[in-house]
Amino acid sequence: MNASAPHAVAHEPLLRRTHVRYHVEHTTTYTYSEPVPVCHNEIHLVPRALPRQRVLGNAITVKPQPASLSTHTDAFGNTVGYFSIQEAHEQLTVASSSSVEVITPGPWEMLPARNWELLRDDLERAPGPDALQAKQFRFESPLVRTLEPLASWAAESFPTGRPWADAVVELTHRIFRDFVYDPTATTTSTPVEEVFRLRRGVCQDFAHLQIACLRSLGLAARYISGYIANTRVPGERELVGADASHAWLSVWGGEAGWLDLDPTNDCVPGNQHVTLGWGRDYADVCPIKGVYVGGGSHSMDVAVHVTALDSEWNTP
Protein backbone atom coordinates (compact mmCIF):
# COMPACT_ATOMS: atom_id res chain seq x y z
CA MET A 1 0.00 0.00 0.00
CA ASN A 2 1.19 3.50 -0.82
CA ALA A 3 1.61 5.16 2.58
CA SER A 4 1.24 8.63 1.07
CA ALA A 5 -2.25 8.00 -0.27
CA PRO A 6 -5.40 7.61 1.83
CA HIS A 7 -7.19 4.28 1.80
CA ALA A 8 -10.61 4.36 0.18
CA VAL A 9 -13.02 3.09 2.83
CA ALA A 10 -16.72 2.47 2.46
CA HIS A 11 -18.77 5.48 1.39
CA GLU A 12 -22.45 6.27 1.00
CA PRO A 13 -23.71 5.95 -2.61
CA LEU A 14 -23.90 9.09 -4.77
CA LEU A 15 -27.59 9.39 -3.91
CA ARG A 16 -27.13 10.47 -0.29
CA ARG A 17 -29.55 10.49 2.61
CA THR A 18 -29.12 13.89 4.24
CA HIS A 19 -30.73 12.62 7.42
CA VAL A 20 -32.54 9.51 8.64
CA ARG A 21 -34.91 8.92 11.51
CA TYR A 22 -34.67 5.65 13.43
CA HIS A 23 -36.66 3.85 16.08
CA VAL A 24 -34.47 1.73 18.37
CA GLU A 25 -35.71 -1.02 20.70
CA HIS A 26 -33.10 -2.48 23.07
CA THR A 27 -34.40 -5.14 25.48
CA THR A 28 -32.28 -7.10 27.96
CA THR A 29 -33.75 -9.98 29.96
CA TYR A 30 -32.03 -11.75 32.85
CA THR A 31 -33.47 -15.08 34.02
CA TYR A 32 -32.35 -16.55 37.36
CA SER A 33 -32.51 -20.11 38.65
CA GLU A 34 -33.29 -18.86 42.17
CA PRO A 35 -35.03 -15.72 43.46
CA VAL A 36 -33.07 -12.47 43.64
CA PRO A 37 -34.23 -10.47 46.68
CA VAL A 38 -32.41 -7.23 45.78
CA CYS A 39 -30.39 -5.72 42.93
CA HIS A 40 -28.84 -2.37 42.03
CA ASN A 41 -28.12 -1.45 38.41
CA GLU A 42 -26.58 1.28 36.27
CA ILE A 43 -27.66 1.74 32.65
CA HIS A 44 -26.41 3.64 29.59
CA LEU A 45 -29.41 3.32 27.28
CA VAL A 46 -30.34 6.90 26.34
CA PRO A 47 -28.88 8.17 23.02
CA ARG A 48 -26.80 11.36 23.15
CA ALA A 49 -27.99 14.66 21.73
CA LEU A 50 -25.26 15.77 19.28
CA PRO A 51 -24.83 18.25 16.43
CA ARG A 52 -25.43 15.36 14.02
CA GLN A 53 -27.93 13.44 16.17
CA ARG A 54 -31.25 14.67 17.51
CA VAL A 55 -33.04 12.65 20.20
CA LEU A 56 -36.76 12.72 19.47
CA GLY A 57 -37.80 10.59 22.44
CA ASN A 58 -36.74 7.89 24.89
CA ALA A 59 -38.55 5.70 27.40
CA ILE A 60 -37.04 3.18 29.84
CA THR A 61 -39.16 0.33 31.19
CA VAL A 62 -38.01 -1.95 34.02
CA LYS A 63 -39.87 -5.07 35.22
CA PRO A 64 -40.39 -5.74 38.09
CA GLN A 65 -41.20 -2.15 39.04
CA PRO A 66 -38.07 -0.65 40.64
CA ALA A 67 -38.17 0.85 44.12
CA SER A 68 -36.19 3.80 42.72
CA LEU A 69 -35.24 5.03 39.27
CA SER A 70 -33.11 8.12 38.66
CA THR A 71 -30.85 9.66 36.02
CA HIS A 72 -27.80 11.90 36.02
CA THR A 73 -25.19 13.17 33.57
CA ASP A 74 -21.73 11.65 33.99
CA ALA A 75 -18.33 13.30 33.50
CA PHE A 76 -18.38 12.46 29.77
CA GLY A 77 -21.81 14.03 29.21
CA ASN A 78 -23.70 10.72 28.92
CA THR A 79 -27.13 10.20 30.45
CA VAL A 80 -26.80 7.48 33.09
CA GLY A 81 -29.73 5.73 34.75
CA TYR A 82 -29.80 3.99 38.11
CA PHE A 83 -32.46 1.69 39.53
CA SER A 84 -32.93 -0.58 42.52
CA ILE A 85 -35.32 -3.53 42.88
CA GLN A 86 -36.08 -4.61 46.41
CA GLU A 87 -38.53 -7.45 45.90
CA ALA A 88 -37.84 -11.09 45.10
CA HIS A 89 -37.76 -11.80 41.37
CA GLU A 90 -36.63 -14.56 39.05
CA GLN A 91 -36.59 -12.46 35.91
CA LEU A 92 -35.47 -8.88 35.20
CA THR A 93 -36.32 -7.05 31.98
CA VAL A 94 -34.87 -3.67 31.02
CA ALA A 95 -36.20 -2.09 27.82
CA SER A 96 -35.20 1.16 26.14
CA SER A 97 -37.29 2.62 23.33
CA SER A 98 -35.73 5.56 21.44
CA SER A 99 -36.40 7.69 18.39
CA VAL A 100 -33.48 9.61 16.88
CA GLU A 101 -32.60 11.58 13.79
CA VAL A 102 -29.09 11.16 12.37
CA ILE A 103 -27.61 13.69 9.95
CA THR A 104 -25.08 12.64 7.29
CA PRO A 105 -21.57 14.10 7.92
CA GLY A 106 -19.46 15.70 5.23
CA PRO A 107 -16.73 13.62 3.54
CA TRP A 108 -13.79 12.93 5.84
CA GLU A 109 -11.43 13.74 2.96
CA MET A 110 -12.44 17.40 3.34
CA LEU A 111 -11.05 17.64 6.90
CA PRO A 112 -7.97 19.87 7.41
CA ALA A 113 -4.89 17.95 6.20
CA ARG A 114 -2.72 18.67 9.21
CA ASN A 115 0.14 16.25 9.80
CA TRP A 116 -0.39 13.88 12.66
CA GLU A 117 2.77 14.78 14.63
CA LEU A 118 1.73 18.43 14.86
CA LEU A 119 -1.73 17.36 15.96
CA ARG A 120 -0.21 15.17 18.67
CA ASP A 121 2.23 17.82 19.88
CA ASP A 122 -0.27 20.69 19.81
CA LEU A 123 -2.76 18.83 22.00
CA GLU A 124 -0.25 18.99 24.84
CA ARG A 125 -0.51 22.78 25.00
CA ALA A 126 -3.85 23.48 23.30
CA PRO A 127 -6.13 25.83 25.28
CA GLY A 128 -9.90 25.72 25.69
CA PRO A 129 -12.48 23.31 27.11
CA ASP A 130 -12.66 21.08 24.01
CA ALA A 131 -8.93 20.39 24.06
CA LEU A 132 -9.05 19.84 27.82
CA GLN A 133 -11.77 17.23 27.36
CA ALA A 134 -9.78 15.56 24.59
CA LYS A 135 -6.60 15.28 26.65
CA GLN A 136 -8.15 12.76 29.05
CA PHE A 137 -8.49 10.31 26.15
CA ARG A 138 -4.71 10.16 25.57
CA PHE A 139 -3.99 8.06 28.64
CA GLU A 140 -4.39 4.43 29.64
CA SER A 141 -7.75 3.33 31.03
CA PRO A 142 -8.87 0.12 32.76
CA LEU A 143 -9.43 -1.81 29.50
CA VAL A 144 -6.99 0.01 27.17
CA ARG A 145 -3.23 -0.10 27.75
CA THR A 146 -0.62 1.83 25.79
CA LEU A 147 2.05 -0.60 24.56
CA GLU A 148 5.19 -0.28 22.47
CA PRO A 149 4.30 -3.26 20.21
CA LEU A 150 1.03 -1.53 19.34
CA ALA A 151 2.80 1.76 18.64
CA SER A 152 5.27 -0.05 16.37
CA TRP A 153 2.52 -1.88 14.48
CA ALA A 154 0.43 1.26 14.07
CA ALA A 155 3.45 3.33 12.95
CA GLU A 156 3.26 1.78 9.47
CA SER A 157 0.21 3.99 8.88
CA PHE A 158 1.81 7.08 10.46
CA PRO A 159 4.95 8.05 8.51
CA THR A 160 6.42 11.48 9.16
CA GLY A 161 4.26 14.31 7.83
CA ARG A 162 1.23 12.24 6.86
CA PRO A 163 -2.16 13.96 7.29
CA TRP A 164 -3.83 12.69 10.45
CA ALA A 165 -7.16 11.64 8.89
CA ASP A 166 -5.44 9.67 6.10
CA ALA A 167 -3.38 7.84 8.71
CA VAL A 168 -6.22 6.89 11.05
CA VAL A 169 -8.42 5.75 8.17
CA GLU A 170 -5.65 3.47 6.89
CA LEU A 171 -5.15 2.05 10.40
CA THR A 172 -8.90 1.33 10.48
CA HIS A 173 -8.54 -0.60 7.22
CA ARG A 174 -5.55 -2.60 8.47
CA ILE A 175 -7.45 -3.79 11.53
CA PHE A 176 -10.36 -4.81 9.30
CA ARG A 177 -7.97 -6.58 6.90
CA ASP A 178 -5.73 -8.34 9.43
CA PHE A 179 -8.20 -9.32 12.15
CA VAL A 180 -11.04 -11.84 12.03
CA TYR A 181 -14.49 -11.12 13.46
CA ASP A 182 -15.04 -14.08 15.82
CA PRO A 183 -17.64 -13.90 18.65
CA THR A 184 -16.17 -17.02 20.28
CA ALA A 185 -12.57 -15.76 20.60
CA THR A 186 -12.88 -13.19 23.41
CA THR A 187 -14.95 -11.96 26.36
CA THR A 188 -15.71 -8.44 27.59
CA SER A 189 -12.59 -8.62 29.78
CA THR A 190 -10.07 -9.89 27.20
CA PRO A 191 -6.98 -7.60 27.31
CA VAL A 192 -6.02 -5.61 24.22
CA GLU A 193 -2.65 -7.35 24.01
CA GLU A 194 -4.44 -10.73 23.83
CA VAL A 195 -6.67 -9.49 21.01
CA PHE A 196 -3.54 -8.29 19.21
CA ARG A 197 -1.93 -11.72 19.63
CA LEU A 198 -5.04 -13.68 18.59
CA ARG A 199 -5.85 -11.42 15.62
CA ARG A 200 -9.52 -12.17 16.40
CA GLY A 201 -12.38 -10.58 18.30
CA VAL A 202 -15.57 -8.54 18.05
CA CYS A 203 -16.45 -4.87 17.68
CA GLN A 204 -15.55 -4.01 21.29
CA ASP A 205 -12.13 -5.62 20.86
CA PHE A 206 -11.37 -3.86 17.57
CA ALA A 207 -12.43 -0.49 19.00
CA HIS A 208 -10.22 -1.04 22.06
CA LEU A 209 -7.33 -2.14 19.83
CA GLN A 210 -7.45 0.91 17.59
CA ILE A 211 -7.81 3.21 20.61
CA ALA A 212 -4.76 1.55 22.19
CA CYS A 213 -2.77 2.01 18.98
CA LEU A 214 -3.68 5.69 18.73
CA ARG A 215 -3.00 6.42 22.40
CA SER A 216 0.31 4.56 22.14
CA LEU A 217 1.26 7.10 19.46
CA GLY A 218 0.19 10.02 21.68
CA LEU A 219 -3.16 10.75 20.02
CA ALA A 220 -6.50 11.14 21.82
CA ALA A 221 -9.17 8.51 21.10
CA ARG A 222 -12.41 7.59 22.84
CA TYR A 223 -14.69 4.53 22.85
CA ILE A 224 -18.23 4.88 21.46
CA SER A 225 -21.20 2.67 22.28
CA GLY A 226 -24.24 2.57 20.03
CA TYR A 227 -26.10 0.78 17.28
CA ILE A 228 -25.97 0.18 13.53
CA ALA A 229 -29.04 0.24 11.32
CA ASN A 230 -29.16 -2.77 9.01
CA THR A 231 -30.49 -0.74 6.09
CA ARG A 232 -28.73 -0.37 2.77
CA VAL A 233 -29.38 0.29 -0.89
CA PRO A 234 -28.42 -2.20 -3.63
CA GLY A 235 -24.67 -2.44 -4.05
CA GLU A 236 -23.77 -1.58 -0.42
CA ARG A 237 -22.22 -4.31 1.68
CA GLU A 238 -24.06 -5.27 4.85
CA LEU A 239 -22.53 -3.90 8.05
CA VAL A 240 -21.48 -6.21 10.89
CA GLY A 241 -23.06 -5.38 14.24
CA ALA A 242 -26.63 -4.65 13.20
CA ASP A 243 -29.41 -5.89 15.50
CA ALA A 244 -27.03 -5.78 18.48
CA SER A 245 -25.10 -3.30 20.58
CA HIS A 246 -22.16 -2.02 18.57
CA ALA A 247 -18.89 -0.25 19.34
CA TRP A 248 -16.55 2.01 17.40
CA LEU A 249 -14.20 4.88 18.26
CA SER A 250 -13.46 8.53 17.64
CA VAL A 251 -10.11 10.33 17.32
CA TRP A 252 -9.42 13.97 18.13
CA GLY A 253 -8.51 16.09 15.10
CA GLY A 254 -7.87 19.47 16.72
CA GLU A 255 -9.83 22.24 15.01
CA ALA A 256 -11.50 19.54 12.89
CA GLY A 257 -13.11 18.05 15.99
CA TRP A 258 -13.69 14.32 16.40
CA LEU A 259 -13.64 11.78 13.56
CA ASP A 260 -15.55 8.52 14.07
CA LEU A 261 -14.07 5.25 12.78
CA ASP A 262 -15.52 1.74 12.67
CA PRO A 263 -12.75 -0.87 12.28
CA THR A 264 -15.24 -3.75 12.40
CA ASN A 265 -16.77 -2.51 9.16
CA ASP A 266 -13.81 -0.62 7.63
CA CYS A 267 -15.77 2.61 7.41
CA VAL A 268 -16.08 6.18 8.56
CA PRO A 269 -19.57 6.16 10.12
CA GLY A 270 -22.24 8.09 8.28
CA ASN A 271 -25.94 8.07 9.06
CA GLN A 272 -26.31 4.38 9.88
CA HIS A 273 -24.57 4.64 13.28
CA VAL A 274 -26.64 5.74 16.30
CA THR A 275 -24.54 6.98 19.23
CA LEU A 276 -25.51 6.04 22.78
CA GLY A 277 -22.49 7.42 24.62
CA TRP A 278 -18.73 7.51 24.93
CA GLY A 279 -15.96 7.08 27.45
CA ARG A 280 -12.39 5.90 27.88
CA ASP A 281 -13.38 2.29 27.15
CA TYR A 282 -16.27 -0.17 27.40
CA ALA A 283 -16.37 -0.03 31.20
CA ASP A 284 -17.45 3.63 31.09
CA VAL A 285 -20.50 3.02 28.87
CA CYS A 286 -21.55 -0.60 29.46
CA PRO A 287 -25.29 -0.71 28.57
CA ILE A 288 -26.24 -2.47 31.83
CA LYS A 289 -24.17 -3.38 34.87
CA GLY A 290 -24.95 -3.98 38.50
CA VAL A 291 -24.90 -6.20 41.55
CA TYR A 292 -27.47 -8.59 42.98
CA VAL A 293 -27.93 -10.98 45.89
CA GLY A 294 -28.76 -14.68 45.40
CA GLY A 295 -30.15 -15.76 42.04
CA GLY A 296 -28.14 -18.97 41.60
CA SER A 297 -27.17 -19.32 37.95
CA HIS A 298 -28.53 -16.93 35.34
CA SER A 299 -28.89 -16.39 31.61
CA MET A 300 -29.09 -13.16 29.63
CA ASP A 301 -30.93 -12.45 26.39
CA VAL A 302 -30.42 -9.21 24.45
CA ALA A 303 -32.63 -8.09 21.57
CA VAL A 304 -31.89 -4.95 19.53
CA HIS A 305 -33.98 -3.69 16.62
CA VAL A 306 -33.16 -0.52 14.67
CA THR A 307 -35.84 0.52 12.20
CA ALA A 308 -35.53 3.37 9.69
CA LEU A 309 -38.65 5.53 9.82
CA ASP A 310 -38.02 8.00 6.98
CA SER A 311 -35.23 9.72 5.06
CA GLU A 312 -34.50 12.87 3.11
CA TRP A 313 -32.25 12.57 0.08
CA ASN A 314 -30.20 14.80 -2.13
CA THR A 315 -28.76 14.18 -5.57
CA PRO A 316 -25.34 15.15 -6.92
Side-chain angles (χ1 to χ4, degrees):
M1 180 178 294
N2 181 356
S4 65
H7 169 70
V9 298
H11 285 277
E12 296 282 336
L14 289 178
L15 184 64
R16 293 173 59 86
R17 292 170 288 186
T18 59
H19 67 258
V20 188
R21 291 185 178 183
Y22 294 109
H23 183 71
V24 182
E25 294 284 346
H26 183 163
T27 303
T28 304
T29 302
Y30 296 91
T31 303
Y32 307 96
S33 62
E34 299 175 9
V36 173
V38 62
C39 69
H40 304 281
N41 298 271
E42 181 181 274
I43 56 175
H44 292 83
L45 292 171
V46 180
R48 287 189 70 125
L50 303 167
R52 290 200 307 103
Q53 179 171 286
R54 189 160 66 101
V55 181
L56 306 175
N58 173 264
I60 304 291
T61 304
V62 180
K63 296 181 180 179
Q65 183 73 27
S68 63
L69 176 60
S70 61
T71 62
H72 70 276
T73 302
D74 68 12
F76 305 110
N78 305 308
T79 298
V80 184
Y82 168 84
F83 68 86
S84 173
I85 296 176
Q86 299 176 13
E87 64 177 84
H89 57 282
E90 295 183 0
Q91 188 173 80
L92 169 64
T93 301
V94 182
S96 175
S97 178
S98 305
S99 294
V100 299
E101 181 180 73
V102 181
I103 300 170
T104 305
W108 67 267
E109 295 92 339
M110 300 302 293
L111 294 172
R114 196 173 193 195
N115 86 60
W116 74 272
E117 299 105 322
L118 287 178
L119 183 70
R120 176 198 62 198
D121 297 343
D122 284 355
L123 182 56
E124 187 69 35
R125 54 184 178 273
D130 291 341
L132 183 61
Q133 284 290 320
K135 289 176 186 178
Q136 67 184 315
F137 297 107
R138 295 181 68 182
F139 305 108
E140 288 189 340
S141 56
L143 299 178
V144 176
R145 297 180 60 199
T146 56
L147 302 164
E148 179 54 39
L150 296 181
S152 296
W153 184 76
E156 179 183 324
S157 300
F158 290 81
T160 300
R162 187 173 195 184
W164 69 278
D166 292 357
V168 297
V169 167
E170 183 184 290
L171 179 60
T172 303
H173 171 65
R174 289 174 57 210
I175 293 174
F176 175 81
R177 181 193 67 195
D178 296 349
F179 290 71
V180 176
Y181 186 87
D182 182 357
T184 68
T186 59
T187 69
T188 56
S189 59
T190 301
V192 168
E193 52 267 39
E194 181 68 4
V195 174
F196 186 62
R197 184 187 69 82
L198 292 172
R199 294 294 200 272
R200 312 179 82 83
V202 293
C203 59
Q204 173 190 308
D205 301 308
F206 301 151
H208 280 161
L209 175 65
Q210 187 162 357
I211 291 168
C213 288
L214 294 169
R215 290 181 187 170
S216 295
L217 292 171
L219 298 172
R222 64 193 183 192
Y223 179 96
I224 301 181
S225 173
Y227 310 105
I228 290 184
N230 195 13
T231 57
R232 60 193 179 101
V233 297
E236 289 185 299
R237 89 179 136 79
E238 187 170 348
L239 299 179
V240 176
D243 297 324
S245 294
H246 190 56
W248 60 99
L249 69 137
S250 195
V251 61
W252 175 247
E255 67 274 16
W258 292 89
L259 174 64
D260 286 7
L261 303 148
D262 184 348
T264 303
N265 289 293
D266 191 22
C267 71
V268 174
N271 55 31
Q272 289 183 265
H273 288 64
V274 176
T275 300
L276 267 180
W278 57 62
R280 298 164 300 169
D281 56 39
Y282 170 78
D284 287 332
V285 284
C286 175
I288 303 177
K289 62 181 178 181
V291 294
Y292 63 91
V293 176
S297 60
H298 76 278
S299 62
M300 180 179 71
D301 179 71
V302 179
V304 174
H305 301 287
V306 182
T307 305
L309 300 177
D310 55 48
S311 308
E312 287 192 7
W313 301 75
N314 66 8
T315 55

